[in-house]
Every structure is written in structure tokens, then in C-alpha cells.
Amino acid sequence: MKAAHREADRESHRETDREILRLAVPAFLALVAEPLFLLSDAAIVGHLGTPELAGLGVAAVVLQTVVGLCVFLAYGTTASVARHLGAGDLRAALAQGIDGVWLAVLIGVLATAGGIALTPALVGVFDTGAEVAGHAETYLTIAFLGTTPLLIMLAATGVLRGLQDTRTPLLVAVVGNGLNIVLNLVLVYGFGLGIAGSAIGSVLAQVLSAGWLLAVVVRAAREHDAPMSPDRAGIAAAAHAAVALVIRTLALRACLLVGTYAVTRVGTGATDVNVATHQIAITLWSFLAFGLDAIAIAAQALTGRALGSGDVEGTRRLTRRMVRWGWGSGIVAGVGLAAVSPFVGALFTTDPAVRDLLVPVLLVAAIGQPVAGVVFVLDGVLIGAGDGAYLAWAGLVVLAAYAPAALWAATLPHGLVAVWVAMTVVFMGARGVLLSWRARGDRWLVTGAASAR
């Protein structure tokens, strides 16, 4: 009897693993492809010079913050669509997704207009000097034109993930990123447009990628007779539900902004070197974060579907299994990052000072990857459950702890490395503690087609 029970448990684990891998592997490849928009930009722009790379670093932080604040368009849509799917109502799932796309268009238009108008002020916050600021403004002014396509991509991707389809976003991401690299090389070097050419190439690739994803969602909506026109009530409901996720994302993005600001305060005569080094490191860290987030994407879709169908025990089982996957993936990512740390700098810059400083920073980042893997998984589980209110409060607590730690670290010897120690220990460590505590309780296990939060 015990042997049969153990075999049943093993088969259950194998089935869960298959479900996780079915969603996570394509999501992993797609998520790794997404930051290649910035990785390829950094590699191409980095060879123009250190000031250009530093300018890209400032612009990228601002742009990622604006777009990152709207990640709820993907996360919230994934959870709500998956819940309706689990409850057996595909038409309602697609209607919910279409509302998310319309919300993306509305926010994107406003963000583009406001971002272009405020570009000088946003860049000026970092006080990097005239040359670096000039490059940052050039890139950012053009890149803001891609905001609406980027947000449509987020919303459409969320719809497809909620429908348990991570393969289509993968295909679009791979093709779009390949096009981005080609356009960047041609415009930056072929036409001699410099950093402006990099921004133009990225915007063009984003427009084409958004159109592709949107076409897939629209076709599915028509097949199932889901409404296509803007629904004011539906859009308003989607916006209201997103408030908690916006607060959560704002707090976490603020942590990264504080980290970049702290880096600009390190030392007295090597600001360009510190900022350029930090830009390469944060780009690589983001690259790994997107990769580790693949299991979190699976967690959002599977958790939403399981709770939508009323399966609490299955949700618990999925969570335990995905945490193990997150821990193991983090170990692999950390070992890999440590192994390449002495060599990867050459891909981005010829400046020996930047390349030398990058090594200890990446080693610190590598140590924190296992914890990051668990954090991203639990974040995905709670997003899939619609536990936005708790995630918002947790994000604010993390910001309150990390901001003073990062600013203090910048005053220490080897300040850049110290800032990254604070990021690893305080930023990721505090998130790990808060999310693990929540996952052990029951308050997030709300069943049915609609989340209670």
C-alpha cells in the first residue's frame, strides 16, 4: 500500500513537472529574449564609447521603470484570464483580455506624451554630467515612441499566458529581437546615427512585435465571439484591479532607481565608470531575472487556473513543486554568472576600468541568484492568486528597508560593490522572507472565477 502511495506521489510530481515545463520552457526562452533588446543595445552602443554606454544606462533605467510600472497588464491579465479558463468560461476569459489591451493603448498614449515632455527632467535627476545626459536624452526621447507598442505586447502576452499558451510569445520575442539587432547594427553603424539609431531600431522592432501578438489575440476573440470594442466598465474594472500591482511594481522599481542613484554618488572622480559598470551588471542581472521568472509565469497561469477551478490542494502542491524549481534554477544561474564574470565585460566595453570593476559586482550578484529564484516563483504564485494587496504592502516594506541601506552602502569603500551587496542581502532577502511567510498561510487561497482582491 505504501509503495503504491509513493508511486502515485511520484507520478503526481511528474505530471506537475510536465505542466510546469510545458509553460515555463517557452516562457523562459521568451523572457530571455526580451532583455536582449537592451543587451544588444548595450553591446552595440558600448562600442561607441563609455559616455554613450552610461547614457544608455540612465535612459534604460527610466524607460524600464515606466514600462515596468505597467507590468500588471501582463501579470494581472494572465491571472484573470487563467481564472476564467479554469472556471470553464473561455469567452469571458478573452473578453477580459481585450479589456486589458484597450487599457494598454490608453496608458501607452498618455505615457508617450508625458515621457517625451519630461525627458530632460527625468535624465536630470541622475546628475551625470552634460555629455552623458545628452546621450541619455537622445535615446530616451526616441525610445518613448515605443511605449504604446510595448504595453500592447504586455497585455497581449498576458492574454496568451492566461490561455496556457507561452509558445506564441516565444516566437514573437525571438523574431522581434533578431530584427532589433539587425536594425540597430544598420542604423548605428551603417547609417552612422549613433545612439539615436539604436533607439530607432528598437522602436521599429517593438511596433512589429506588438502588431503580431495583437493579431493572434484578435483572431482568438473573434473565433469565440468575444466583444472587440472598448468596454468602459471592463476597462475601469481592469484598471481598478491593477492598482495594488502598480503599487507593488512602483515600490520594486523604486528600489532599482534608488540603487542606480546610489551608484552615481559613489566616489568623486569615476562616475562614468561606476554608472557604466552598473549598467552592464544590472542588464545581466535583469537578463537572469527574466530567465528565472519563467517559472513565475508558469506559476501565474497554473495558480490562476487551479484556483479558478476550486482546487486548493492542487494549488498547494503546485506551489511546493515550483519553489523547488525556482531554487534549483537560481543555483544554476548563479554558477553560470560567476563562471562568465571575468570574461563577459569584453562584450560590452573596451574600457579596462569598467571591465575590472565588473567582476566583483557580478560575483556578488551570482551569490544572490538562488534566493532570487525562490522570490520570483512565490511572487508569481501570489500574483496568480490575485493577492495584490499583500504584494503592494510587501513592496513598500522592502523599499523602506532597501533605500537607506543602498544609500549608506554608496558611502563605503568599494561603494559600487557595497551597493550590490545591499541589493542582494536587503532587497532580495527581505522579499524572500515576506513572500515565504505569506505562502505558508491560507488567506491568498481564494477560489472561483474572480479574485477577492
Side-chain angles (χ1 to χ4, degrees), residues 83-239:
R83 276 184 175 268
H84 283 288
L85 181 68
D89 193 346
L90 184 55
R91 183 179 183 276
L94 286 164
Q96 191 98 48
I98 293 297
D99 289 339
V101 172
W102 280 112
L103 181 61
V105 172
L106 176 61
I107 295 173
V109 171
L110 295 175
T112 298
I116 292 174
L118 294 174
T119 287
L122 293 171
V123 172
V125 169
F126 295 91
D127 191 24
T128 57
E131 185 176 11
V132 172
H135 293 306
E137 288 184 26
T138 297
Y139 187 93
L140 194 56
T141 300
I142 299 169
F144 265 122
L145 296 175
T147 304
T148 301
L150 278 171
L151 299 192
I152 291 174
M153 289 170 64
L154 284 176
T157 297
V159 176
L160 295 174
R161 288 172 180 167
L163 297 175
Q164 318 294 294
D165 175 13
T166 55
R167 293 184 179 182
T168 301
L170 165 61
L171 181 59
V172 174
V174 170
V175 174
N177 183 68
L179 180 62
N180 177 65
I181 293 173
V182 172
L183 289 172
N184 269 251
L185 289 171
V186 170
L187 295 173
V188 171
Y189 296 111
F191 286 88
L193 296 180
I195 195 170
S198 177
I200 293 169
S202 294
V203 169
L204 291 175
Q206 290 155 5
V207 168
L208 293 173
S209 297
W212 187 350
L213 285 169
L214 186 59
V216 174
V217 172
V218 168
R219 184 170 63 248
R222 286 176 175 169
E223 288 176 357
H224 296 278
D225 197 30
M228 298 293 303
S229 58
D231 176 23
R232 288 185 60 183
I235 294 172

Side-chain angles (χ1 to χ4, degrees), residues 24 27 66 113 180 235 243 262 275 332 353 370 393 404 428 433 441 445 453:
V66 173
N180 177 65
I235 294 172
V243 171
V275 173
V332 172
W393 283 111
M428 297 307 298
V433 170
L445 291 166
R453 297 169 179 80

Side-chain angles (χ1 to χ4, degrees), residues 273-341:
V273 171
N274 285 322
V275 173
T277 302
H278 180 72
Q279 163 58 14
I280 296 173
I282 201 68
T283 302
L284 290 168
W285 185 88
S286 298
F287 181 88
L288 292 176
F290 274 101
L292 292 173
D293 210 30
I295 302 173
I297 297 303
Q300 292 173 24
L302 294 174
T303 300
R305 191 184 70 185
L307 290 176
S309 67
D311 187 1
V312 172
E313 181 53 38
T315 303
R316 285 283 195 194
R317 189 167 55 249
L318 280 167
T319 300
R320 289 192 296 268
R321 200 65 181 171
M322 287 184 289
V323 165
R324 292 184 182 180
W325 276 91
W327 182 257
S329 299
I331 292 173
V332 172
V335 171
L337 183 59
V340 303
S341 61

Side-chain angles (χ1 to χ4, degrees), residues 75-76 78-79 245 248 292-304 307 315 319 322-323 372-387 391 431 435 444:
Y75 290 176
T78 296
L245 284 180
R248 165 256 183 204
L292 292 173
D293 210 30
I295 302 173
I297 297 303
Q300 292 173 24
L302 294 174
T303 300
L307 290 176
T315 303
T319 300
M322 287 184 289
V323 165
V374 174
V375 165
F376 296 147
V377 165
L378 291 177
D379 198 50
V381 167
L382 296 179
I383 288 173
D387 198 20
L391 291 171
R431 291 183 70 191
L435 297 180
W444 59 280

Side-chain angles (χ1 to χ4, degrees), residues 241-452:
V243 171
L245 284 180
V246 171
I247 295 172
R248 165 256 183 204
T249 303
L250 180 61
L252 298 182
R253 292 303 308 178
C255 287
L256 298 182
L257 280 171
V258 168
T260 299
Y261 179 80
V263 170
T264 66
R265 307 268 72 82
V266 172
T268 56
T271 300
D272 286 5
V273 171
N274 285 322
V275 173
T277 302
H278 180 72
Q279 163 58 14
I280 296 173
I282 201 68
T283 302
L284 290 168
W285 185 88
S286 298
F287 181 88
L288 292 176
F290 274 101
L292 292 173
D293 210 30
I295 302 173
I297 297 303
Q300 292 173 24
L302 294 174
T303 300
R305 191 184 70 185
L307 290 176
S309 67
D311 187 1
V312 172
E313 181 53 38
T315 303
R316 285 283 195 194
R317 189 167 55 249
L318 280 167
T319 300
R320 289 192 296 268
R321 200 65 181 171
M322 287 184 289
V323 165
R324 292 184 182 180
W325 276 91
W327 182 257
S329 299
I331 292 173
V332 172
V335 171
L337 183 59
V340 303
S341 61
F343 317 107
V344 71
L347 295 176
F348 301 97
T349 181
T350 57
D351 190 330
V354 174
R355 289 160 66 169
D356 289 344
L357 185 56
L358 184 62
V359 176
V361 170
L362 292 184
L363 290 176
V364 171
I367 293 172
Q369 291 305 299
V371 173
V374 174
V375 165
F376 296 147
V377 165
L378 291 177
D379 198 50
V381 167
L382 296 179
I383 288 173
D387 198 20
Y390 180 81
L391 291 171
W393 283 111
L396 293 173
V397 171
V398 170
L399 175 60
Y402 173 68
L407 294 173
W408 174 70
T411 67
L412 300 175
H414 310 291
L416 178 60
V417 176
V419 170
W420 274 82
V421 170
M423 181 174 176
T424 299
V425 175
V426 181
F427 177 50
M428 297 307 298
R431 291 183 70 191
V433 170
L434 291 170
L435 297 180
S436 297
W437 179 81
R438 183 64 165 185
R440 290 193 181 98
D442 298 323
R443 296 186 64 183
W444 59 280
L445 291 166
V446 178
T447 59
S451 169

